[in-house]
């Protein structure tokens, strides 16, 4: 027998034990501290061990308990960054995806997986009002934004053959870091990204955008893309998408929207997202606001030919030999990836198990919870809301005695660290008008109103403790 | 209760049913046809259905049988492309990775997952003779090659701020398509990729490389990178790495090696891969020759500071607030990704369960099987080996009556399609000196000598049938 091949009984023992661990974890998620008690050097001492030459067999499973003990749990009170809460039906489907080990490159490499991914992408487009868009699932929003901007570059200042040529990209000051990172990678150069100021609601100032575009065009520069946010990462603000579409049309620029955080909320609140269907490309992250396990991002686009112009350079050994349009389809002609995991299976199963209606309601709950939190903050004189709540991100701070900015920043930085260490709620931070903000971002299908109340009580408890000291 | 939250009993029912399906699939892998009997329009009829508004509950699981029925099975006789065979212990670990839903961005977001990924990357480096290299796991070889070349570009002709500047990249004509794709994406321009001819063993001609570099330098161009192959995708050839390292040193170019297919074979045959540890960066794919489920690529580099120069542009909301070197570590400062799946868990468990020794033996078996196949082909006058077998890719063809190239190409193209449809073995194709080749690539921990014999008997059976007709 081959050295890595086990008996069916051996596989059964391992699969059943891991399934048991997984179920115990799911059952316990509500009771776990939101951050484990461990230091950097302790994690190293636990895990930085030599690779064994001899197999440990089932003993190797014993250490999974320590792995689980020292993760950051996506409890109902995990409200940091923008991270979906990991819907367990999707996670169960991921086991099957890994066992089937489909390489979702082309229909001929995986008939059912390629078909299901194309179907799921169509469902996502339809669910947010972009019926007819096609696209693919990606490793996340960074990759989707990179691909969207690659489409833009190749459409406006083709660079694949001859190298990057000058051009400019426009986005608001609140744009996610993946956009400048993509612009750097694409050879456009971050100094050609115009960061346009925002209004009081952290939405791009379209008048200033127009001025900036006009100035560049007069200077002989080519506007490559206008990038809107459908949910800025700090405050969840949604740029005025129809107006951005208009500026893009006028200037001949590509219109990309970064909807990694917010666009899937269009399932619950389509009116907030008017204009999404006027984009040329659009990123969204089912591993955020569709609660799917990592990784699962998505890029949608209006015109698949633009994606093929950007990405189709197939080697002989991967070239398709058939003419049928379904059987000849290859994702690698439209993406930066070649090998691709069967990411669609989890969305497919999770959406069909629960139905879109339940996802809509879960997203509505998150939006309601954010308003609840904002309301509780407004009622507490020791707390201060730092930005309007456009979606589900709530930025606030504990007031220091004299509201001096530096003192207040230091106090809230200390509050954040202590709150996280206490392990009841997990918050992260943002910078709002130059000030340090505590930030709760609610894209968590497990969160309840009681969990939201704990955010306030935890911050108040720590803030009072520090202010008294 | 929240709309997407189920009872522990409901989760148990779903997890146990899917685990059962997964185990049945693993047990049946050896008996399945290597390609399912289905057409493009049949897959669409089966799966292109509307997204249900109401959840289907457990009924949604019924259709998983059809998904499984119409995958391309990684049977012991799957020898297409370069795709690992999906080691089931790794797949089981993937269930836990999805349930834990760690975002492997930074230590503070996932203490155990970030630590384990750093440990696993160190193990991989050590296993192939690159002790001391660091890096990260990626979605695959394309992404690892893109990142390696981004490091090169930023080290030699910095472009992140000001945009891409002229420079040249060198690789052999046999280089994988992900390299020109990366060069296009990075704004270097594919016309600045010099494709250097190969010797009879499909290894880059170092003398011609040197001439090309010197010509470009005289013309005022900057050599950005020399890219070697440690396992070309068609024939598994390994470029003379120490000599490439020397040319890179002389010319000031970055030295990247695409080891996506082959580098992990250094675990079994280190002598073939002398010079790997002289690279600046190096891609390898545990989802290929470490048999791990998709997705799991890896980029290794000598100098983490170069990765940070290329990729560190962190937004405020993600900035680390701590000084401890372990607790302050963030993968997104060294990669193009922000959100990242816990890819390391499967390698960690699979390597510890089986031990490195068993992987070494499995890789040796693949190498032996390739030589066995080459030997069987040599013994058959109707078959012709088209390239030396450097690793585990075997390129050959069925001889046509008069060996006229066009006739022979058409015949073998037809043979390939029929062999795949018969479902006993799965082969893919390559172009060798302009001719269409059948190609078996053996990176499959389940393959036995009997499976290899079937490759020959299937091709002979179909070839004779077609030649007789």
């Amino acid at each position: 027998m081959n050295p890595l091949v086990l008996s069916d009984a051996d596989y059964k023992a391992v699969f059943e034990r891991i399934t048991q661990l997984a179920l115990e974890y799911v059952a316990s998620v509500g009771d776990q501290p939101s951050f484990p008690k461990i230091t950097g050097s302790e994690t190293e001492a636990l895990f930085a061990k030599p690779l064994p030459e001899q197999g440990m067999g089932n003993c190797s499973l014993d250490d999974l308990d320590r792995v689980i003990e020292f993760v950051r749990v996506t409890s109902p009170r995990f409200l940091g960054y923008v991270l979906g809460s990991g819907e367990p039906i999707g996670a169960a489907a991921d086991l099957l995806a890994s066992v089937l080990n489909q390489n979702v490159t082309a229909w001929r490499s995986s008939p059912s997986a390629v078909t299901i991914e194309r179907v799921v992408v169509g469902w996502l487009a339809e669910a947010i009002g972009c019926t007819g868009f096609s696209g693919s699932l990606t490793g996340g929003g960074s990759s989707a934004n990179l691909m969207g901007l690659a489409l833009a570059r190749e459409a406006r200042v083709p660079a694949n053959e001859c190298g990057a040529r000058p051009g400019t990209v426009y986005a608001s000051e609140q744009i996610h870091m993946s956009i400048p990172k993509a612009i750097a990678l694409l050879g456009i150069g971050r100094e050609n990204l115009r960061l346009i100021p925002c209004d009081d609601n952290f939405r791009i100032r379209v008048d200033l955008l127009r001025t900036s575009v006009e100035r560049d065009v007069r200077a002989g520069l080519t506007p490559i893309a206008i990038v809107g946010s459908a949910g800025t990462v700090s405050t969840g603000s949604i740029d005025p998408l129809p107006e951005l579409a208009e500026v893009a049309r006028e200037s001949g620029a590509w219109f990309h929207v970064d909807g990694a955080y917010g666009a899937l909320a269009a399932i619950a609140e389509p009116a907030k997202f008017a204009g999404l269907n006027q984009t040329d490309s659009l990123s969204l992250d089912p591993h955020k606001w569709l609660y799917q396990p990592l990784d699962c991002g998505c890029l949608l686009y209006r015109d698949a030919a633009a994606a093929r112009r950007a990405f189709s350079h197939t080697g002989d050994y991967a070239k398709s030999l058939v003419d049928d349009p379904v059987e000849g389809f290859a994702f690698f002609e439209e993406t930066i990836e070649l090998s691709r995991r069967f990411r669609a299976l989890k969305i497919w199963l999770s959406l069909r198990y629960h139905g879109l209606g339940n996802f809509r309601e879960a997203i509505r709950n998150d939006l309601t919870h954010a308003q609840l939190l904002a309301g509780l903050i407004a009622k507490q004189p020791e707390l201060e809301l730092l930005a309007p709540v456009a979606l589900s991100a709530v930025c606030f701070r504990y007031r220091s005695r004299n509201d001096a900015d530096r003192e207040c920043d230091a106090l809230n930085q200390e509050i954040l660290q202590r709150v996280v260490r206490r392990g009841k709620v997990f918050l992260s931070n943002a910078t709002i008008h130059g000030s340090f903000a505590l930030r709760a971002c609610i894209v968590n299908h497990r969160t309840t109103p009681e969990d939201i109340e704990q955010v306030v009580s935890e911050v108040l408890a720590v803030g009072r403790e520090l202010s008294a000291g």
Side-chain angles (χ1 to χ4, degrees), chain A:
Chain A
M1 195 174 261
N2 283 339
L4 298 176
V5 174
L6 306 176
S7 70
D8 291 348
D10 285 340
Y11 287 128
K12 188 168 182 319
V14 172
F15 274 58
E16 291 186 346
R17 186 156 159 207
I18 288 184
T19 301
Q20 195 52 40
L21 285 174
L23 282 167
E24 284 166 14
Y25 178 81
V26 170
S28 75
V29 152
D31 313 320
Q32 299 290 317
S34 58
F35 197 80
K37 289 210 183 311
I38 193 160
T39 65
S41 54
E42 284 162 2
T43 46
E44 297 236 306
L46 266 177
F47 299 113
K49 301 207 169 132
L51 168 56
E53 177 70 20
Q54 302 292 326
M56 300 161 65
N58 286 329
C59 293
S60 66
L61 298 164
D62 297 344
D63 288 331
L64 289 173
D65 289 337
R66 316 311 298 274
V67 178
I68 297 169
E69 189 177 351
F70 298 114
V71 297
R72 198 259 313 109
V73 174
T74 313
S75 87
R77 294 166 302 285
F78 173 79
L79 308 172
Y81 318 112
V82 192
L83 174 60
S85 37
E87 199 284 299
I89 303 297
D94 248 350
L95 168 65
L96 198 56
S98 293
V99 165
L100 296 174
N101 198 35
Q102 294 304 285
N103 200 349
V104 192
T105 51
W107 186 91
R108 69 178 186 278
S109 277
S110 183
S112 55
V114 166
T115 308
I116 287 173
E117 179 164 338
R118 297 180 79 185
V119 168
V120 161
V121 167
W123 286 354
L124 294 174
E126 196 183 324
I128 61 166
C130 293
T131 303
F133 281 49
S134 58
S136 64
L137 301 179
T138 68
S142 292
S143 165
N145 283 332
L146 172 63
M147 281 167 47
L149 287 171
L151 266 59
R153 191 196 65 178
E154 212 48 25
R156 296 300 177 251
V157 288
N160 279 349
E161 293 309 322
C162 307
R165 289 182 289 150
T168 47
V169 178
Y170 306 81
S172 91
E173 289 171 348
Q174 294 291 318
I175 199 72
H176 185 257
M177 71 192 228
S178 59
I179 298 296
K181 208 161 168 169
I183 285 171
L185 199 73
L186 289 166
I188 295 171
R190 275 195 300 251
E191 66 181 30
N192 299 310
L193 171 61
R194 309 286 185 245
L195 291 177
I196 310 296
C198 288
D199 64 18
D200 292 344
N201 292 320
F202 302 93
R203 293 153 49 103
I204 192 168
R205 285 269 308 270
V206 179
D207 55 334
L208 298 180
L209 167 66
R210 242 193 199 101
T211 312
S212 179
V213 171
E214 285 163 7
R215 190 187 309 120
D216 286 334
V217 169
R218 274 199 307 275
L221 293 163
T222 304
I224 298 174
I226 311 250
V227 182
S229 291
T232 58
V233 72
S234 290
T235 68
S237 304
I238 301 167
D239 283 333
L241 306 180
E243 295 173 58
L244 293 188
E246 204 183 308
V247 179
R249 268 194 305 274
E250 288 165 12
S251 61
W254 185 271
F255 182 29
H256 175 76
V257 162
D258 173 10
Y261 163 22
L264 284 159
I267 294 171
E269 293 272 3
K272 280 186 194 283
F273 294 88
L276 264 193
N277 62 356
Q278 297 174 43
T279 55
D280 294 302
S281 60
L282 165 64
S283 64
L284 52 154
D285 264 357
H287 66 212
K288 294 190 171 89
W289 223 340
L290 216 57
Y291 314 107
Q292 294 304 303
L294 293 159
D295 52 20
C296 200
C298 181
L299 180 73
L300 296 176
Y301 34 77
R302 171 185 305 285
D303 177 16
R308 286 194 295 271
R309 270 195 300 276
F311 297 125
S312 177
H313 331 288
T314 306
D316 286 331
Y317 78 99
K319 231 172 220 146
S320 177
L321 301 174
V322 296
D323 295 328
D324 178 281
V326 175
E327 297 180 19
F329 179 82
F331 275 113
F332 54 78
E333 305 281 9
E334 300 186 14
T335 74
I336 55 174
E337 296 177 315
L338 180 51
S339 290
R340 301 171 73 251
R341 180 176 167 79
F342 190 3
R343 297 182 182 111
L345 189 62
K346 55 189 163 197
I347 313 189
W348 188 75
L349 190 68
S350 177
L351 277 173
R352 283 161 42 98
Y353 186 98
H354 293 290
L356 183 62
N358 280 316
F359 281 91
R360 187 178 292 115
E361 198 183 326
I363 295 167
R364 269 196 199 126
N365 280 352
D366 288 328
L367 294 165
T368 305
H369 289 150
Q371 294 301 331
L372 169 64
L373 178 56
L376 293 172
I377 289 164
K379 268 193 264 178
Q380 289 291 343
E382 292 149 282
L383 301 179
E384 181 183 10
L385 197 65
L386 292 179
V389 177
L391 286 172
S392 70
V394 182
C395 292
F396 65 108
R397 65 178 172 183
Y398 190 88
R399 286 193 150 131
S400 68
R401 255 159 295 186
N402 55 14
D403 274 357
D405 264 350
R406 270 182 60 191
E407 194 181 307
C408 207
D409 284 0
L411 174 64
N412 281 278
Q413 198 157 327
E414 181 64 27
I415 289 173
L416 178 60
Q417 295 204 22
R418 288 209 194 181
V419 164
V420 167
R421 269 204 304 273
R422 282 160 68 105
K424 288 198 180 145
V425 301
F426 191 100
L427 305 175
S428 57
N429 55 290
T431 304
I432 302 294
H433 295 311
S435 293
F436 185 93
L438 305 171
R439 175 174 165 285
C441 182
I442 308 158
V443 289
N444 191 326
H445 73 283
R446 297 185 176 101
T447 306
T448 64
E450 294 68 42
D451 298 317
I452 296 297
E453 285 160 16
Q454 271 216 313
V455 172
V456 174
S457 59
E458 282 293 289
V459 170
L460 284 177
V462 173
R464 284 167 189 165
E465 183 184 302
L466 284 168
S467 302

